[in-house]
Amino acid sequence: MATTSGTWSARHSVQAMADRTAALVNALSCDAPSPDAIAAVLRAHGETDVGALAERDVVAMRAAAQQLRTVFSARDVDAAAESLNALLPRSTGALRLTSHHGASPWHPHLDGHDDAPWGEWLLASSCLALTVLLWDRQRPPGAVCTSSSCENVFLTVGSGPERRYCSRRCATRERVAAHRRARG
């Protein structure tokens, strides 16, 4: 039987899966992401059995990331739900529980099988995480940075005013640019 340690919740929580989704969508959106760079993102987000990613894996993951970007680009909760509803039947198998043959605690999967290709896994697991976030919070699970020089996606977590930027860096850059334009 797999042990349930504190690291499990950090690796398999809905929030951790959604964080991984945003990081992968961003990493896969660059011009030519290398298999090593994508493997590093996967490992940074707790995926321990990455092995050597092939170029075809990255191509399939990039296609999944482009589809997931539609959820982050949604203008409101209804549009985000519509995007997820369009992706779910095309990208997921039957909901099932897996422990990866006892290597981890039981957790849900929507991909076809434990050894599903990386692109299928990314789309299915990301749809699951983003669906649960939308369901739980009743708002879009994320957004795209509104900075004119950035296209990163980010998760909308917590309460308070709606976030427009992926980072403080982008927000500051836009404030400085607006200030310079105003001083003109």
Side-chain angles (χ1 to χ4, degrees), residues 91-115:
S91 63
T92 58
L95 180 63
R96 64 188 169 79
L97 290 167
T98 183
S99 68
H100 299 284
H101 308 291
S104 72
W106 289 99
H107 59 280
H109 266 243
L110 285 173
D111 51 5
H113 52 87
D114 282 356
D115 296 322

Side-chain angles (χ1 to χ4, degrees), residues 137-159:
R137 299 174 180 160
Q138 293 298 302
R139 64 178 185 212
V144 178
C145 185
T146 59
S147 172
S148 59
S149 61
C150 182
E151 295 181 355
N152 281 344
V153 301
F154 60 92
L155 297 175
T156 51
V157 295
S159 58

Side-chain angles (χ1 to χ4, degrees), residues 6-177:
T7 60
W8 179 85
S9 64
R11 282 185 43 226
H12 289 87
S13 71
V14 170
Q15 186 65 48
M17 289 172 34
D19 287 339
R20 182 198 64 216
T21 296
L24 284 167
V25 168
N26 291 334
L28 290 158
S29 294
C30 72
D31 287 335
S34 73
D36 289 341
I38 300 306
V41 173
L42 288 165
R43 286 186 192 99
H45 287 272
E47 294 301 324
T48 56
D49 191 21
V50 176
L53 289 179
E55 188 63 38
R56 72 180 177 283
D57 295 321
V58 174
V59 169
M61 291 174 80
R62 280 188 75 157
Q66 289 173 337
Q67 293 177 67
L68 291 164
R69 188 172 275 283
T70 65
V71 179
F72 288 95
S73 299
R75 66 190 176 286
D76 58 31
V77 68
D78 293 336
E82 191 175 303
S83 291
L84 282 165
N85 280 337
L87 291 175
L88 284 164
R90 291 184 303 184
S91 63
T92 58
L95 180 63
R96 64 188 169 79
L97 290 167
T98 183
S99 68
H100 299 284
H101 308 291
S104 72
W106 289 99
H107 59 280
H109 266 243
L110 285 173
D111 51 5
H113 52 87
D114 282 356
D115 296 322
W118 282 104
E120 179 185 336
W121 166 84
L122 173 60
L123 193 54
S125 64
S126 297
C127 282
L128 175 61
L130 297 175
T131 296
V132 171
L133 288 180
L134 186 146
W135 170 21
D136 186 49
R137 299 174 180 160
Q138 293 298 302
R139 64 178 185 212
V144 178
C145 185
T146 59
S147 172
S148 59
S149 61
C150 182
E151 295 181 355
N152 281 344
V153 301
F154 60 92
L155 297 175
T156 51
V157 295
S159 58
E162 184 178 325
R163 276 182 62 190
R164 295 177 43 216
Y165 302 105
C166 67
S167 66
R168 288 184 182 188
R169 181 178 179 203
C170 279
T172 300
R173 184 174 39 236
E174 289 299 310
R175 276 194 304 273
V176 168

